[in-house]
Amino acid sequence: MERPTSKPIGHHYLELDTPTMVINTDLLKSNIKNAQSSLNGTSCKLIPNVGTHGTAEIARYQTNSDHDLPVFVDTFQQAQSFVNHGFKNIIIESPPVGVGKVESLHRLVNTAHITVSLSSLAHLNFLKYLSMENLSVLLRIPNKSDSVGIGTHQELIELVKLLVEHFKIYWKGLITVSKGSDGLEESFKGILSAEALLQSHSFTSNELLINTSNQPLSKVQSNLPPEITGLISGNYPFEVNGSVPTCSVVSTVMSTPEPGRAYIDCGQKGISIDRGVPFVVNYENAVIEKMSAEHGYLVFDAVEMNLKIGDKILLRPANYSDTFNLYDFVNLIKNDRLESVIETAARGAFK
Amino acid sequence: MQTYRPNLGATIDLIETPSLLIDLESMESNFSVIAETYSNTTCKMRQHAKNIKCPDILWRQIEIGGTLNGVCTAKISEAEVMVEGGIRDILVTSEIVGEDKQKRLAYLAKRADVKVCIDNKANLNALSFVAQEIGSEIGVLIEVDTSMGRAGIRTPEQGVELAKLAESLASVKFLGVMSHQTVDGFADKETRFIEGKRYIDKCLEVKTAIEDHGIEVAIVSSGETFSYDVAPQIEGVTEVEGGTYALMSGPTKYMEEFSLAGKVLTTVIDMTESEIVIDAGLRCLGGPLGSTPTIEGQDNLGFSEMQDSYSVLTVEGKNIFEIGQTMLICTSQQDILVNRWDNFIGVRDGVVEVVWDIPARGCHH
């Protein structure tokens, strides 16, 4: 577990023990508000993917502390973490495969309304012995950007029939995942054509959800068809508007072995490079050359700028979800001062 | 923090997935290679704790042999965990910058034999000042950059200057020199020996230059897993900083005397005609800049996509896999992966024998 030297509330964020993750609270709230208001006047609701950050505090900002509003997570352990923090309406992406996950689901439905996403009869069979109260099902539709989902139209119809006529589990509707802005149109087409097929067989979905968690919300919502009832998004609280980042990792220069080169105390254990190297926020002429497990290699034009040992480097992660997953705590910052330290309680909830 | 712990004695099919397993037989075999290699050498292994992050496992290597009864850590917070775990000889292999961390180091030096690397005068002066204030003594080793372009002095002359300064300052004790290096790709034994010796010789050049000025160099800490058998053959090297050999990973398979001991157990949760989906994704496996793991014993499976909590694998040939089937992932890297987990599940002959917490997980500081 992380062991920073604790700093009192009100401390300047650049004096926190590094590397550490900081979030500008004002920008966070503003991003959340803008995202929510952008869907005003539509029949589509914004469903936060709270698995992105794993913190109950940010999830409360995203739901205006209404624990009955739906939140989306990836795994059963993440769901349990949010249920433990009072959330009562949770959509889980992962299907309940295996005894452990079915048992988790059984515990979850005793205290919250749980929706799971399925794509095969094998998944449905895992639900045979569960209490049906508090459990809903979404069926996952594949599209050109995402191959995971129900294989054929025939299988889709059969699954819906089984759900409605035999299992008597509440079938909520359809879900699809868009994995890139290029595939957005195709994912809309995929889910709408599946719904049209179901309607031709006298079945109607109550929910048509699209998960665009790793895409900028602004790109998604401008093209949203009116039939879509829910937009699942994960990154919007942290989107960048202007030069100040909403979410970054603070690190410290620990060696300047030669001109134009600095060695910093943040490597891959402090910021993920699984989906790209981080961006240097506070020195526009400096870039991350590479990162080892423990350290970062910063290079810059020594004529234009200089760095000394102890200088602070602000890094914006290439992917927020990957980096939240590395920290047990993150710092909320207001007016450059530490406002609170929040726990990423769902960190490491892989199951 | 997640606290899933399977029952001891449970068979592997009862373990929830994904889980990080250690094949105990393989790990112990790796530890025995080290014990044997260093059984009659002056040079000893100083295992790197940044890979394993668990004192109890590091103790196993100490008990099996080949070590100097101490470990390295990358960060001061890791060093604290090791001292709390009963290990009393610690080398922190990164420069420690900032008063808070330097104070932690100085206080820890009151409780254990703590050494740290340095590469500049300002840092050395600061350490001396803080240690004096606290009334402790910190051992210092000069980091030498031998190949990687990271921290460390660049010339023997810089080393001499720093050693002289260290000798003149209160509350720091100059102990020696250290370096770190890697080889790219799959290196055969000849390459390992040529490259390993070339890097270590650079570190020894600094040692000689310092000794030429009448200053004793007690420790030369150099070499790691790829040169574990090179370093003890080079006169002057006193210890090797190996870490990867304990669990190993895909890119280090060329070290055939060591076995892959760390694996992730995963379950097939979905499938299409030509793909399977497993319940292990980027969050638990890591995949720096697109590197991908492999599946044990399944050459017909290849990772085509890694998402947050699942991965999609392409099946070459007929898809005979089933939803619910479990498999073992051979990881593409190691310490970055371990840093994401809260415990190891130690398995022998398919049965859970031990569950170890990973107390230095997340010790970034």
Side-chain angles (χ1 to χ4, degrees):
Chain A
M1 195 168 206
E2 271 186 82
R3 290 172 159 233
T5 305
S6 299
K7 296 292 193 307
I9 300 302
H11 217 78
H12 196 281
Y13 81 105
L14 290 180
E15 292 171 4
L16 297 173
D17 214 1
T18 63
T20 198
M21 198 170 188
V22 295
I23 294 169
N24 181 317
T25 318
D26 287 338
L27 291 177
L28 177 87
K29 288 179 180 173
S30 158
N31 280 342
I32 291 170
K33 194 176 167 191
N34 289 342
Q36 289 168 340
S37 60
S38 70
L39 291 177
N40 283 350
T42 74
S43 54
C44 181
K45 58 183 175 289
L46 182 60
I47 302 172
N49 181 349
V50 296
T52 299
H53 49 77
T55 74
E57 185 86 0
I58 296 174
R60 287 192 191 103
Y61 289 140
Q62 291 174 288
T63 55
N64 301 318
S65 293
D66 183 347
H67 287 172
D68 290 324
L69 286 181
V71 295
F72 184 88
V73 297
D74 300 316
T75 67
F76 292 87
Q77 277 190 329
Q78 283 181 348
Q80 187 64 58
S81 174
F82 282 96
V83 166
N84 293 347
H85 284 86
F87 289 83
K88 295 194 178 306
N89 185 355
I90 301 194
I91 305 168
I92 305 172
E93 179 176 51
S94 179
V97 174
V99 174
K101 284 169 188 157
V102 173
E103 284 175 0
S104 296
L105 185 55
H106 191 69
R107 284 192 297 273
L108 286 164
V109 295
N110 284 331
T111 48
H113 188 91
I114 303 296
T115 304
V116 290
S117 161
L118 313 180
S119 53
S120 71
L121 181 58
H123 293 160
L124 199 50
N125 282 334
F126 280 107
L127 303 180
K128 262 183 190 167
Y129 305 108
L130 276 185
S131 151
M132 303 309 170
E133 210 179 322
N134 276 344
L135 179 63
S136 301
V137 164
L138 290 164
L139 295 176
R140 183 162 171 172
I141 305 300
N143 61 67
K144 282 192 177 165
S145 75
D146 176 44
S147 58
V148 182
I150 296 169
T152 63
H153 282 167
Q154 190 56 38
E155 283 176 65
L156 172 64
I157 293 163
E158 282 170 14
L159 272 176
V160 172
K161 271 187 186 167
L162 272 172
L163 274 165
V164 172
E165 294 167 8
H166 296 284
F167 275 76
K168 301 203 185 331
I169 298 172
Y170 177 54
W171 168 61
K172 203 180 239 183
L174 306 178
I175 183 170
T176 196
V177 180
S178 173
K179 286 179 178 164
S181 49
D182 293 348
L184 201 56
E185 281 296 315
E186 294 299 332
S187 49
F188 291 146
K189 274 187 200 165
I191 195 168
L192 293 179
S193 74
E195 174 62 8
L197 176 83
L198 287 176
Q199 288 187 2
S200 71
H201 287 77
S202 306
F203 297 113
T204 302
S205 298
N206 284 322
E207 302 272 10
L208 294 178
L209 307 185
I210 180 155
N211 180 0
T212 61
S213 285
N214 279 319
Q215 296 174 49
L217 191 61
S218 52
K219 283 190 183 171
V220 178
Q221 64 202 25
S222 56
N223 298 310
L224 206 58
E227 296 90 341
I228 301 295
T229 61
L231 182 60
I232 299 160
S233 182
N235 282 337
Y236 68 89
F238 316 111
E239 280 183 7
V240 180
N241 296 304
S243 58
V244 181
T246 309
C247 173
S248 56
V249 171
V250 186
S251 68
T252 303
V253 174
M254 48 189 292
S255 180
T256 51
E258 52 190 84
R261 181 169 282 271
Y263 195 55
I264 61 174
D265 65 359
C266 179
Q268 292 182 49
K269 291 179 187 171
I271 195 165
S272 171
I273 63 164
D274 290 350
R275 288 180 257 211
V277 292
F279 175 76
V280 180
V281 174
N282 57 337
Y283 291 96
E284 61 179 26
N285 294 318
V287 294
I288 293 292
E289 182 189 54
K290 59 180 174 177
M291 288 194 136
S292 66
E294 314 290 345
H295 304 113
Y297 299 56
L298 197 67
V299 291
F300 50 90
D301 186 339
V303 177
E304 289 188 16
M305 64 175 279
N306 192 25
L307 284 173
K308 59 183 186 305
I309 291 168
D311 281 348
K312 301 298 175 184
I313 306 296
L314 256 65
L315 301 169
R316 195 177 75 223
N319 183 281
Y320 299 109
S321 162
D322 298 346
T323 297
F324 272 102
N325 181 48
L326 302 175
Y327 285 91
D328 295 305
F329 304 98
V330 294
N331 305 284
L332 296 185
I333 307 298
K334 191 176 176 68
N335 298 327
D336 291 343
R337 301 278 161 183
L338 181 63
E339 185 180 40
S340 63
V341 181
I342 58 173
E343 187 187 3
T344 50
R347 190 212 66 74
F350 306 136
K351 294 178 177 60
Chain B
M1 182 173 177
Q2 305 305 311
T3 54
Y4 165 74
R5 296 175 81 88
N7 292 331
L8 302 187
T11 49
I12 196 169
D13 55 301
L14 294 176
I15 298 173
E16 287 185 31
T17 64
S19 280
L20 176 56
L21 309 189
I22 291 182
D23 178 334
L24 295 172
E25 205 167 306
S26 295
M27 186 179 74
E28 285 161 7
S29 162
N30 295 343
F31 286 176
S32 295
V33 171
I34 294 301
E36 206 171 298
T37 304
Y38 294 85
S39 61
N40 292 310
T41 57
T42 314
C43 176
K44 297 292 178 193
M45 174 58 70
R46 180 187 286 281
Q47 195 178 6
H48 217 311
K50 82 186 188 82
N51 302 69
I52 292 287
K53 293 180 171 291
C54 170
D56 200 32
I57 299 179
L58 294 157
W59 269 115
R60 285 205 161 194
Q61 175 70 81
I62 292 170
E63 285 158 5
I64 291 173
T67 79
L68 42 61
N69 300 333
V71 299
C72 323
T73 69
K75 305 286 172 105
I76 180 61
S77 50
E78 272 177 2
E80 290 169 342
V81 172
M82 296 307 135
V83 171
E84 287 159 17
I87 297 170
R88 285 286 178 266
D89 177 357
I90 314 282
L91 168 60
V92 183
T93 59
S94 307
E95 289 71 21
I96 298 297
V97 171
E99 195 182 342
D100 285 335
K101 289 180 186 171
Q102 288 164 347
K103 277 185 176 170
R104 287 167 74 167
L105 186 73
Y107 276 112
L108 199 64
K110 286 186 147 194
R111 296 163 59 194
D113 175 5
V114 174
K115 299 168 272 289
V116 68
C117 75
I118 53 163
D119 73 349
N120 67 83
K121 290 178 179 177
N123 186 226
L124 179 56
N125 279 314
L127 288 174
S128 167
F129 181 77
V130 169
Q132 268 186 83
E133 264 195 339
I134 285 164
S136 70
E137 184 179 69
I138 302 170
V140 294
L141 280 78
I142 295 169
E143 180 173 7
V144 181
D145 178 60
T146 59
S147 65
M148 298 182 71
R150 49 185 243 173
I153 58 156
R154 284 354 192 207
T155 65
E157 293 73 29
Q158 288 175 312
V160 172
E161 289 300 307
L162 266 182
K164 281 182 181 171
L165 178 61
E167 286 280 281
S168 72
L169 292 173
S171 298
V172 292
K173 183 175 174 58
F174 174 71
L175 293 172
V177 292
M178 64 147 282
S179 66
H180 178 72
Q181 49 272 323
T182 59
V183 284
D184 291 329
F186 272 52
D188 58 24
K189 192 163 184 173
E190 190 185 354
T191 306
R192 291 195 299 105
F193 269 71
I194 291 169
E195 291 300 296
K197 185 170 184 325
R198 187 161 69 86
Y199 298 144
I200 292 169
D201 281 348
K202 285 186 186 178
C203 191
L204 290 171
E205 274 177 41
V206 179
K207 170 189 187 277
T208 305
I210 294 169
E211 286 174 336
D212 286 347
H213 284 78
I215 300 171
E216 185 193 355
V217 178
I219 298 175
V220 176
S221 186
S222 191
E224 47 282 293
T225 293
F226 93 86
S227 55
Y228 83 100
D229 49 354
V230 182
Q233 294 186 29
I234 300 173
E235 196 179 330
V237 180
T238 61
E239 59 185 62
V240 172
E241 300 173 11
T244 303
Y245 72 84
L247 301 182
M248 297 299 283
S249 63
T252 48
K253 269 185 193 162
Y254 62 86
M255 305 287 291
E256 289 175 350
E257 55 273 56
F258 297 113
S259 308
L260 188 67
K263 296 168 194 174
V264 173
L265 184 70
T266 186
T267 301
V268 178
I269 55 169
D270 211 339
M271 57 196 297
T272 67
E273 265 181 32
S274 58
E275 292 171 324
I276 61 167
V277 182
I278 57 171
D279 62 358
L282 275 175
R283 284 203 193 110
C284 75
L285 296 172
L289 300 176
S291 65
T292 52
T294 56
I295 302 292
E296 184 174 75
Q298 301 287 358
D299 294 339
N300 58 335
L301 287 176
F303 279 72
S304 56
E305 182 185 327
M306 293 178 81
Q307 295 294 326
D308 286 346
S309 62
Y310 66 89
S311 299
V312 180
L313 284 74
T314 305
V315 183
E316 209 175 279
K318 196 177 174 197
N319 191 346
I320 52 165
F321 298 96
E322 290 175 2
I323 289 175
Q325 180 177 351
T326 56
M327 45 186 67
L328 288 166
I329 300 171
C330 303
T331 61
S332 60
Q333 40 69 44
Q334 185 200 86
D335 57 339
I336 300 160
L337 175 142
V338 169
N339 185 53
R340 298 172 181 211
W341 291 82
D342 293 304
N343 62 26
F344 292 113
I345 298 170
V347 174
R348 194 187 305 276
D349 297 329
V351 174
V352 177
E353 187 170 297
V354 59
V355 180
W356 281 297
D357 288 336
I358 307 176
R361 191 223 79 72
C363 283
H364 313 295
H365 304 101

